[in-house]
């Protein structure tokens, strides 16, 4: 018997990430090749004409799993009953900017969309925030959606994890699928901490395979932290195909059982976290899933002094971003 349809919302439907994302979702790559879906796509009124063109192209693919396409600019219409929401639509940064500089312009989008999800989405909707600065935007969305479990919100750090995996594979001369347990701690920003200490290559600690500590502590970390900026410098636009790929991997990770002994990175709500990180942030931690859309944060992944110092810096940055929106945009000060 055919599975019931899953409704998937994507915002920023006429943008460059969405153009690389919608077709892959519709083909079945994200939720499985036996899962019928409906796409609910949100855009600003000014971009509706372009979105109509995207809809025509989706139709012209004749995807067997794609049962319905709904487009519009009212989040309360588009988010009705959705089971998964990919919040992509937001301004991208330009050259010379940090992602946090977007908070003023983008933060308010997540107030409106958090409220709309709260009011009309499926009560167990899983939400992935891609629009930058994604960790703090995710905090804003969650804070405005008290009806939805906090554990259902994710800020995307999967692209960073994929970038780190590639760097370790290339440096060690091994295929990328021999690299496991790669992990990003903290913010999706230039303070993020790509963890080489716990990464493995062909099941062995990466630090035993790549013995070049200088490279691991400097070039590796810097290249992953600054990869987004390097792409903007090269392309004149921020990453789009790799970002869409990261979003698909991020959702797949919570709907696929995590292999024993492995983990994936996701920016998740830090309340009750086992690492002593401030309890009111979206922080990227090692996570595992049973494959039912839920996850748990894996405890006891060790830090050395080098990692600890860097993790404290990314935590500090997230606290500073939160301060900018506390008592605004629906984010309340949480005491204790
Ligand atoms: P884009 O400018 O090509 O597209 C964004 C689209 O969103 C536009 O079509 C715009 O009209 C739409 N939009 C803006 N506000 C909206 C709203 N309130 N509701 C619905 N749609 C809205 O940008 P892009 O390259 O697709 O990037 C989108 C966001 O994703 C940016 O903030 C970018 O920085 C971020 N991003 C995050 C990651 C990550 O790893 N987390 C990676 C890449 C890009
Ligand atoms: C990325 O990491 O590629 C995105 O967050 C876009 C950016 O601004 O770097």
């Amino acid at each position: 018997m055919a599975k019931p349809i899953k409704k998937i919302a994507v915002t920023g439907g006429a943008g460059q990430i969405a153009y690389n994302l919608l077709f892959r979702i519709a083909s079945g790559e994200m939720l499985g090749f036996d899962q019928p879906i409906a796409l609910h796509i949100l855009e600003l009124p000014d971009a509706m004409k372009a979105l109509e063109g995207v809809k025509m192209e989706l139709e012209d693919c004749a995807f067997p799993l794609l049962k319905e396409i709904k487009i519009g600019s009212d989040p309360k219409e588009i988010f009705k009953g959705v089971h998964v929401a990919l919040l992509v639509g937001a301004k991208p940064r330009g050259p010379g900017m940090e992602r946090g500089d977007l908070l003023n312009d983008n933060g308010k989008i997540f107030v409106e969309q958090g409220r709309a999800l709260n009011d009309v989405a499926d009560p167990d909707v899983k939400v992935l925030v891609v629009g930058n600065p994604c960790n703090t935007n995710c905090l804003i969305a969650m804070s405005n959606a008290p009806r939805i479990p906090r554990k259902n919100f994710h800020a995307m750090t999967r692209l960073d994890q994929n970038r780190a995996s590639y760097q370790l594979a290339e440096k060690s001369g091994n295929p990328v699928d021999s690299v496991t347990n790669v992990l990003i701690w903290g913010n999706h920003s230039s303070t993020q901490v790509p963890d080489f200490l716990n990464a493995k290559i062909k099941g062995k600690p990466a630090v035993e395979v790549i013995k070049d500590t200088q490279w691991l502590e400097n070039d590796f970390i810097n290249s992953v932290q600054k990869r987004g900026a390097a792409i903007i410098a090269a392309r004149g636009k921020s990453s789009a195909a790799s970002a869409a790929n990261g979003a698909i991997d991020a959702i797949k990770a919570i709907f696929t059982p995590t292999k024993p002994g492995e983990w994936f990175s996701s920016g998740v709500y830090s309340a009750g976290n086992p690492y002593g990180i401030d309890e009111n942030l979206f922080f990227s931690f090692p996570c595992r899933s049973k494959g039912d859309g839920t996850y748990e944060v894996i405890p006891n992944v060790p830090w050395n002094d080098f990692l600890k110092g860097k993790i404290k810096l990314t935590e500090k940055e997230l606290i500073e971003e939160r301060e900018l929106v506390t008592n605004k945009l629906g984010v309340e000060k949480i005491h204790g």
Side-chain angles (χ1 to χ4, degrees), residues 306-322:
F306 176 83
L307 281 186
K308 191 173 175 188
K310 294 213 169 294
I311 289 168
K312 286 288 141 197
L313 284 179
T314 197
E315 179 188 23
K316 180 168 172 283
E317 181 185 51
L318 278 169
I319 292 170
E320 285 164 3
E321 281 184 23
R322 184 188 61 205

Side-chain angles (χ1 to χ4, degrees), residues 10-72:
V10 176
T11 70
Q16 51 152 8
I17 295 178
Y19 197 66
N20 287 277
L21 179 61
L22 289 164
F23 299 85
R24 292 182 63 186
I25 296 173
S27 76
E29 255 190 84
M30 190 172 81
L31 293 185
F33 295 99
D34 60 348
Q35 176 60 63
I37 59 166
L39 278 173
H40 290 205
I41 315 173
L42 186 73
E43 247 306 343
L44 293 176
D46 284 354
M48 281 313 292
K49 185 153 186 272
L51 180 55
E52 272 161 26
V54 175
K55 179 171 181 270
M56 286 187 249
E57 284 206 71
L58 281 162
E59 290 162 354
D60 295 349
C61 292
F63 289 119
L65 292 169
L66 182 56
K67 303 300 179 192
E68 191 200 347
I69 309 169
K70 186 167 164 180
I71 63 173

Side-chain angles (χ1 to χ4, degrees), residues 2 61 78 94 96 163 173 190 198 204 216 266 268 334:
C61 292
I78 291 299
R163 287 168 170 165
S190 55
N198 295 292
K204 284 173 66 177
L216 288 165
S266 190
V268 296
I334 294 189

Side-chain angles (χ1 to χ4, degrees), residues 168 172 174 178-182 195-212 216 263 302:
L168 293 174
S172 67
N174 284 292
S178 70
V179 181
T180 60
N181 298 72
V182 174
D195 180 339
F196 55 81
L197 184 69
N198 295 292
K200 293 185 179 160
I201 301 174
K202 289 189 168 163
K204 284 173 66 177
V207 288
E208 287 175 18
V209 180
I210 301 172
K211 296 198 170 79
D212 185 347
L216 288 165
W263 53 63

Side-chain angles (χ1 to χ4, degrees), residues 16-17 91-94 97-100 102 130-134 156 159-160 163 188-189 192 224-232 237-240 242-243:
Q16 51 152 8
I17 295 178
K91 254 194 191 170
R93 66 175 166 156
M97 291 171 76
E98 286 296 332
R99 298 178 185 91
L102 295 165
V130 175
N132 278 319
C134 63
M156 186 167 98
L159 172 56
D160 308 295
R163 287 168 170 165
H188 171 64
S189 77
Q192 67 178 271
V224 180
Q225 286 177 331
K226 300 200 178 112
R227 187 68 160 187
I231 288 164
I232 293 170
K237 289 181 190 163
S238 61
S239 63
S242 56

